[in-house]
Amino acid sequence: MFFHNSYFTTHFGNLFFCSKISIFSLFDHQKSPFRYTQISNYVHVYMKWKKDPFFDSILHIHKSAELKPIIQLKNFIVNYPNGCIPISAVSKRGLEFDISIRVARFLRQYPSVFEEFRGEHNLPWFRLTSEAAEIDREEKRVLEECKEDLKDRLRRFVLMSKDKVLPLKIIKGMAWYLGLPERFLDESKGDLLDESFRFVDMEDGLKGLTVESNGEKLLSTMQRNAMKNGVYFGGTLEGIEFPLFPSKGLRLRRKIESWLNEFQKLPYVSPYEDFWHLDPDSDFAEKRVVGMLHELLSLFVEHSAERKKLLCLKKYFGLPQKVHKAFERHPHMFYLSFKNKTCTAILKEAYCGNSSIEKHPMLVVRKKYIRLVKESDRILKNRRINNRFIKHEKLEKGSDIDADSDDRTDIQAEKVSKSFC
């Protein structure tokens, strides 16, 4: 990809020339802001994907998909009377929990989380182990203590949308990434959803959620970090550059590196600001898309998400059809992991050096669940070893019994032969 050496700035029909180094702005600050339009001709340059073992080895990112149905089943058991369930309560709800195998088999794969016992009519029942119950209590404490933080993340997620309203199905689909509790949309006013949130009817008969901002200007993670570093003071957005973290051994082609250097010099575009004035084929629009993806991943628990999930947001967040190309054009900001037969987009900044991105309060809890889930492998391995040992003992006892019976048979045969003699 490459670019022309000049940009054009328009203000209510007036045209000003600006070089690629600076923008000459002769305008009244009290009037509406400029409408920037960059004319760009891209040269498509193939950029080879580079594997990074560090990002491929971050356990809580790549175990997130496995953990999700476990947590859903855990919540179902906790909310059931007496905190235990018969297998019949979930045996036919595999699709609801996104489980592709028999639910009973799934539960038995995690003995460190789910304890099986015999209940009424000698049928299998399940409850949480003491370790899982303890983490569940901690999770509830975190959700209660960090309610305002979760509410702010939900508010930002909605206000990033182009119409400041999102269908409930979209919010529910991204609730796992945002770290929101189950059934949070059903909670009464004054809990997670306060009076600033409002349910509305959308087109196509969809129910939606909107937020009243009351004229409040939201600052993105990039803007807040720029303020901390003394680069941004609440005015012009020039000078705010995306932090870059090149992977070891990854070298950009000269054309791409030149384009990236010029791209960094462009004014930052906040994902919470109106973007209708931007030319969708310009680098300014690209700046907004990258800023949007950066802000989205900053809000998520693991600062990562399956790429296909992010692509589902295109319609409501005003993202271009080929938004996935942004991850490929900015490998110093995002890493695409293809582990576990899925493509996961990871925000590098959250895992490199002294990250200025705030940790999600639910991250510590999920890490504890993952460590507990890993214990299941050890338990199942020990069970297999014990079963083999017991089976081996039975075989040995059986062989001894067979040997004794053979000896007795031989003795009886000798006695019979002597009597005939």
Side-chain angles (χ1 to χ4, degrees):
M1 66 200 105
F2 207 53
F3 52 89
H4 278 308
N5 290 340
S6 62
Y7 307 126
F8 294 89
T9 307
T10 58
H11 181 225
F12 295 113
N14 297 322
L15 184 67
F16 294 91
F17 174 81
C18 5
S19 72
K20 67 176 182 178
I21 303 298
S22 62
I23 299 177
F24 295 97
S25 54
L26 302 174
F27 62 91
D28 185 355
H29 286 279
Q30 300 191 1
K31 292 182 180 180
S32 300
F34 271 68
R35 175 181 177 177
Y36 295 103
T37 303
Q38 179 186 356
I39 300 176
S40 303
N41 286 334
Y42 291 103
V43 176
H44 294 285
V45 180
Y46 174 72
M47 185 161 52
K48 187 178 179 181
W49 173 80
K50 177 71 176 177
K51 182 180 177 64
D52 192 322
F54 170 73
F55 292 104
D56 283 333
S57 63
I58 300 176
L59 191 62
H60 62 267
I61 289 179
H62 303 293
K63 285 286 186 180
S64 179
E66 179 185 353
L67 183 63
K68 184 179 177 182
I70 296 174
I71 298 300
Q72 289 178 326
L73 277 169
K74 183 267 302 181
N75 292 335
F76 185 85
I77 293 174
V78 169
N79 295 325
Y80 211 79
N82 300 322
C84 54
I85 61 168
I87 190 58
S88 58
V90 291
S91 59
K92 297 182 179 180
R93 305 178 70 170
L95 291 177
E96 180 182 335
F97 297 113
D98 198 20
I99 298 173
S100 57
I101 61 177
R102 290 175 58 236
V103 179
R105 181 184 172 191
F106 182 85
L107 289 165
R108 289 170 181 142
Q109 285 180 345
Y110 303 101
S112 61
V113 182
F114 307 110
E115 179 184 350
E116 183 177 359
F117 64 98
R118 291 291 165 175
E120 295 180 3
H121 310 296
N122 201 31
L123 295 175
W125 283 57
F126 291 89
R127 61 190 169 207
L128 297 187
T129 61
S130 57
E131 295 83 1
E134 176 59 32
I135 301 177
D136 176 69
R137 287 190 289 270
E138 181 180 350
E139 180 183 2
K140 287 182 170 62
R141 287 195 300 269
V142 171
L143 290 173
E144 184 63 30
E145 293 170 1
C146 302
K147 193 180 298 181
E148 290 301 320
D149 182 286
L150 297 175
K151 189 187 303 180
D152 182 63
R153 291 174 190 270
L154 176 58
R155 178 182 292 109
R156 288 175 177 275
F157 183 66
V158 175
L159 290 177
M160 267 193 285
S161 61
K162 62 181 182 180
D163 297 320
K164 313 305 179 189
V165 58
L166 283 176
L168 297 184
K169 67 175 185 178
I170 293 292
I171 298 175
K172 289 179 179 178
M174 302 302 291
W176 173 255
Y177 294 115
L178 290 166
L180 302 175
E182 286 190 359
R183 297 196 300 274
F184 67 96
L185 291 174
D186 301 330
E187 294 181 356
S188 59
K189 296 289 183 180
D191 204 346
L192 185 59
L193 299 181
D194 58 22
E195 61 279 357
S196 64
F197 292 92
R198 187 162 47 88
F199 294 101
V200 296
D201 293 322
M202 300 180 65
E203 58 183 10
D204 300 328
L206 297 175
K207 288 287 185 180
L209 184 69
T210 186
V211 184
E212 297 176 4
S213 60
N214 297 323
E216 175 188 4
K217 181 180 179 181
L218 283 178
L219 298 179
S220 68
T221 300
M222 285 289 300
Q223 289 171 295
R224 296 198 301 270
N225 292 340
M227 277 186 165
K228 291 178 183 177
N229 298 328
V231 177
Y232 175 64
F233 304 97
T236 176
L237 295 175
E238 293 183 30
I240 301 179
E241 297 186 358
F242 293 111
L244 304 180
F245 300 92
S247 294
K248 187 177 180 180
L250 176 64
R251 297 183 62 183
L252 301 180
R253 294 193 179 188
R254 187 175 299 175
K255 288 182 178 181
I256 300 176
E257 193 168 2
S258 299
W259 174 81
L260 183 60
N261 291 334
E262 296 299 326
F263 178 81
Q264 286 281 62
K265 296 175 185 178
L266 296 176
Y268 173 75
V269 181
S270 172
Y272 301 106
E273 299 295 334
D274 181 27
F275 62 92
W276 296 110
H277 59 282
L278 297 178
D279 183 346
D281 296 324
S282 71
D283 282 351
F284 285 99
E286 173 88 353
K287 195 92 174 186
R288 175 196 170 259
V289 170
V290 174
M292 172 77 72
L293 296 174
H294 182 282
E295 185 71 3
L296 274 173
L297 294 176
S298 297
L299 296 178
F300 293 166
V301 178
E302 292 95 6
H303 306 300
S304 64
E306 289 185 44
R307 187 174 64 175
K308 63 182 180 181
K309 292 284 188 180
L310 296 174
L311 299 183
C312 294
L313 304 177
K314 288 187 294 188
K315 176 181 177 181
Y316 300 101
F317 284 77
L319 297 173
Q321 188 65 26
K322 295 184 178 181
V323 61
H324 60 279
K325 293 290 185 182
F327 293 116
E328 301 168 12
R329 286 195 290 264
H330 300 274
H332 292 346
M333 287 182 60
F334 308 107
Y335 177 71
L336 293 178
S337 173
F338 294 92
K339 197 171 180 180
N340 299 331
K341 299 180 181 180
T342 186
C343 182
T344 303
I346 304 172
L347 181 62
K348 284 187 169 184
E349 183 183 355
Y351 296 96
C352 295
N354 297 322
S355 174
S356 55
I357 296 180
E358 296 179 3
K359 299 290 184 183
H360 196 289
M362 287 299 297
L363 182 59
V364 174
V365 176
R366 287 193 184 175
K367 285 182 177 180
K368 290 186 177 182
Y369 276 123
I370 290 172
R371 284 195 293 270
L372 182 62
V373 167
K374 285 187 67 180
E375 281 294 305
S376 294
D377 295 334
R378 183 185 61 81
I379 295 172
L380 293 174
K381 182 179 179 180
N382 290 339
R383 285 182 182 176
R384 287 192 295 269
I385 293 173
N386 292 335
N387 288 339
R388 283 199 296 266
F389 181 74
I390 293 171
K391 186 177 181 180
H392 182 67
E393 278 189 337
K394 287 182 178 179
L395 288 173
E396 285 185 344
K397 288 180 179 178
S399 62
D400 291 341
I401 293 171
D402 292 339
D404 291 341
S405 64
D406 290 341
D407 291 341
R408 286 194 295 270
T409 303
D410 292 339
I411 292 171
Q412 290 175 357
E414 287 180 7
K415 290 180 179 179
V416 171
S417 63
K418 286 179 180 180
S419 62
F420 280 106
C421 293

